[in-house]
Amino acid sequence: MDIIIFLSELGHSIRPWLDDISTAIVACLLIVFGGDINRFLRRRLSKYNFIIRTLAFILVNAFGYGLLIVNLSPLLHRELLNIPNYLSISIITVIFIFIGFWAQRNKQA
């Protein structure tokens, strides 16, 4: 029972930073999966002109990733606010561990 109280207090203490944490999670996911997204895009656009490929990469990397961060972070923040305090700290920790393992497995760390 003491561990639940400890996790609940810890989850309560990070609640003011859930907006920043959700932004960090989305940004980390884009960093980890950005290479896969760019490879997919490169394969799909390989038959097109250099200028079209360049414009597509600019749009995806400059605007697409930024748009994803701006739009997904508030959604994730809202979902994290709905989770009880004792679970939120555990879920956030598991998410960052998953991202770290995924990055290490794909040699991105």
Side-chain angles (χ1 to χ4, degrees), residues 79-100:
E79 293 303 317
L80 289 175
L81 284 174
N82 292 330
I83 299 172
N85 287 339
Y86 69 93
L87 286 178
S88 67
I89 190 70
S90 303
I91 290 172
I92 290 167
T93 303
V94 167
I95 288 171
F96 278 115
I97 289 172
F98 167 77
I99 292 170

Side-chain angles (χ1 to χ4, degrees), residues 35-93:
D36 296 330
I37 294 168
N38 286 340
R39 267 191 297 282
F40 173 79
L41 190 60
R42 188 178 312 125
R43 274 189 244 122
R44 293 287 181 194
L45 297 175
S46 64
K47 59 186 171 207
Y48 292 102
N49 184 336
F50 171 77
I51 294 175
I52 293 173
R53 289 192 318 254
T54 304
L55 286 174
F57 276 104
I58 290 170
L59 288 173
V60 168
N61 288 300
F63 301 109
Y65 291 156
L67 192 65
L68 281 172
I69 291 172
V70 168
N71 288 326
L72 289 180
S73 294
L75 294 174
L76 182 59
H77 178 242
R78 197 172 22 241
E79 293 303 317
L80 289 175
L81 284 174
N82 292 330
I83 299 172
N85 287 339
Y86 69 93
L87 286 178
S88 67
I89 190 70
S90 303
I91 290 172
I92 290 167
T93 303

